[in-house]
Amino acid sequence: MKALILVGGEGTRLRPLTYERPKPMLPIAAVPFVERTLRRLHDVGCEEVVLSACYRSEAFDRLTEHTAPRVRIVVEEEPLGTGGAIRYATEAAGGFDGTFFVLNGDVLTDVDLAMVLERHRDTGAEATIVLTPVEDPSRFGVVPTDPAGRVIRFIEKPPRDEAPTNMINAGTYVCEQAMLEGIPAGVCSVERDVFPRMAESGVLYGCPGESYWLDFGTLPTYLQANIDCLEGRLHEPLPGIRRSVGGGHVWMDETAQLAADVDVVGNVVMSSGSVVESGARIGPSGVLGPKSHIGTGAVVSETVLLDAAVVERDARVHRAIVGDRGCVCAGRRLPADSVVPPDQSI
Ligand code: GDD
Ligand code: MG
């Protein structure tokens, strides 16, 4: 079975983190999001995954070394929209037949893909959309269904008072080859052009996911996605070897270094080559990216440090994201919800 992941968006709402890396390559609890997704697809029997890329596509190149599943990258010269990208990438990858998955590249979820596939086969749908309830449906594709699960209408981002339900498109689809024939060549949106037409023809079904779900496309939701993963709110393991330290737990790469007297609270992940020096306090919920560094006496909680980010001695950081090679200078107290841009010192 094949799958396609849409990874071409610019991730504008995640700037400055996405100036260098495309959104799907941002790590969630130290594992690049797209690698998490590859593992889930492999678990459900996908042998080949096509990444439909556009913005900063070279960042995905190293994934072609993956063997289970095999990964192919198809790059659009110009963004074709979600529908255009599905048509173009499936054709460029030699054609998709039978049943396949399509996933948005920015949704953290542990939805049971095998369950969705089974529901899709039971109804005989041309495509099945995973649904999830949200507080404010106006930022999403709104999907009212009849009691049998058939999609009545598909309304992309309606005004809040016009949304007929709070069940929205969760960005995970099971599709049949027949759906591809209904996508015109060129620029096209699956949400605005393809799904509304399929709903009218009665071939589109919805399936409630009943699982953890978060679109991590903004800075606050990106931080939240990391915290939720560390707090065990979704059924995915943390990377590294688990060690109990004081009252807390650290999942450590074997090359990470943690001084003996560090105070650990809650759950923390330390990636390869990361260092926490003597007298620091980390957690609850800290993610240390590769080669990141926390100095003596620093206090760091609910924070993500990306690659080679530094929190110098005696600095205090709560609810922050420190971009690649960013630095919080010695003794600084950062306001909550701060973002340190890549390569900058604050
Ligand atoms: N290859 C390619 N080309 N990928 C694209 C393009 C394109 O032109 N445009 C967007 N994508 C990718 C993005 O990288 C992302 O993974 C996915 O398609 C969805 O695009 P977003 O820009 O993130 O859309 P959204 O969040 O506003 O809305 C979508 O997701 C919601 C769930 O999070 C829609 O599918 C909504 O209906 C849905 O509710
Ligand atoms: Mg999105």
Side-chain angles (χ1 to χ4, degrees), residues 60-130:
F60 300 103
D61 285 349
R62 68 180 169 85
L63 297 175
T64 53
E65 287 163 19
H66 250 265
T67 49
R70 289 186 306 279
V71 174
R72 261 175 105 131
I73 300 169
V74 175
V75 182
E76 293 149 49
E77 279 183 19
E78 292 294 325
L80 290 173
T82 47
I86 294 171
R87 173 164 171 169
Y88 179 75
T90 51
E91 275 175 10
F96 273 34
D97 46 23
T99 310
F100 55 92
F101 284 101
V102 174
L103 309 179
N104 283 354
D106 63 350
V107 171
L108 184 64
T109 177
D110 56 3
V111 64
D112 181 348
L113 293 172
M115 176 278 287
V116 182
L117 190 58
E118 198 180 310
R119 278 286 296 278
H120 172 81
R121 291 197 163 126
D122 286 349
T123 59
E126 202 168 283
T128 301
I129 302 176
V130 175

Side-chain angles (χ1 to χ4, degrees), residues 16-17 19-21 56 289-293 304-312 321-329 340-346:
L17 306 179
Y19 281 126
E20 272 185 28
R21 327 184 181 206
R56 290 233 169 255
K291 298 202 173 89
S292 62
H293 193 116
V304 176
L305 306 186
L306 293 177
D307 296 18
V310 179
V311 176
E312 291 184 343
I321 305 167
V322 186
D324 296 318
R325 302 167 305 278
C327 176
V328 181
C329 296
V340 180
D343 294 306
Q344 288 199 23
S345 296
I346 287 191

Side-chain angles (χ1 to χ4, degrees), residues 19-248:
Y19 281 126
E20 272 185 28
R21 327 184 181 206
K23 176 164 60 175
M25 287 303 278
L26 283 173
I28 308 283
V31 180
F33 169 76
V34 77
E35 286 185 24
R36 292 182 170 275
T37 311
L38 291 177
R39 196 167 55 205
R40 295 179 57 236
L41 288 167
H42 183 245
D43 289 347
V44 76
C46 287
E47 301 101 32
E48 185 174 322
V49 176
V50 173
L51 302 182
S52 167
C54 189
Y55 175 73
R56 290 233 169 255
S57 59
E58 69 288 349
F60 300 103
D61 285 349
R62 68 180 169 85
L63 297 175
T64 53
E65 287 163 19
H66 250 265
T67 49
R70 289 186 306 279
V71 174
R72 261 175 105 131
I73 300 169
V74 175
V75 182
E76 293 149 49
E77 279 183 19
E78 292 294 325
L80 290 173
T82 47
I86 294 171
R87 173 164 171 169
Y88 179 75
T90 51
E91 275 175 10
F96 273 34
D97 46 23
T99 310
F100 55 92
F101 284 101
V102 174
L103 309 179
N104 283 354
D106 63 350
V107 171
L108 184 64
T109 177
D110 56 3
V111 64
D112 181 348
L113 293 172
M115 176 278 287
V116 182
L117 190 58
E118 198 180 310
R119 278 286 296 278
H120 172 81
R121 291 197 163 126
D122 286 349
T123 59
E126 202 168 283
T128 301
I129 302 176
V130 175
L131 307 178
T132 196
V134 290
E135 178 77 16
D136 174 11
S138 64
R139 295 191 297 122
F140 300 102
V142 177
V143 190
T145 52
D146 73 10
R150 196 187 296 249
V151 174
I152 302 165
R153 284 168 69 206
F154 188 103
I155 319 141
E156 183 68 5
K157 302 190 178 106
R160 195 168 180 171
D161 54 354
E162 286 174 28
T165 168
N166 70 337
M167 293 301 276
I168 61 115
N169 166 20
T172 296
Y173 321 128
V174 185
C175 307
E176 294 299 317
Q177 187 190 9
M179 170 180 156
L180 297 174
E181 284 149 27
I183 304 179
V187 177
C188 158
S189 158
V190 79
E191 297 89 350
R192 294 181 193 278
D193 306 321
V194 181
F195 285 156
R197 242 191 2 252
M198 289 175 72
E200 260 173 42
S201 322
V203 295
L204 188 62
Y205 280 71
C207 170
E210 278 150 24
S211 58
Y212 176 91
W213 186 87
L214 185 70
D215 179 331
F216 66 90
T218 65
L219 292 163
T221 58
Y222 174 64
L223 182 58
Q224 194 59 47
N226 279 275
I227 294 172
D228 288 347
C229 223
L230 285 172
E231 296 305 314
R233 294 195 185 106
L234 65 166
H235 297 107
E236 288 215 1
L238 294 171
I241 303 152
R242 183 175 184 265
R243 268 182 59 190
S244 296
V245 181

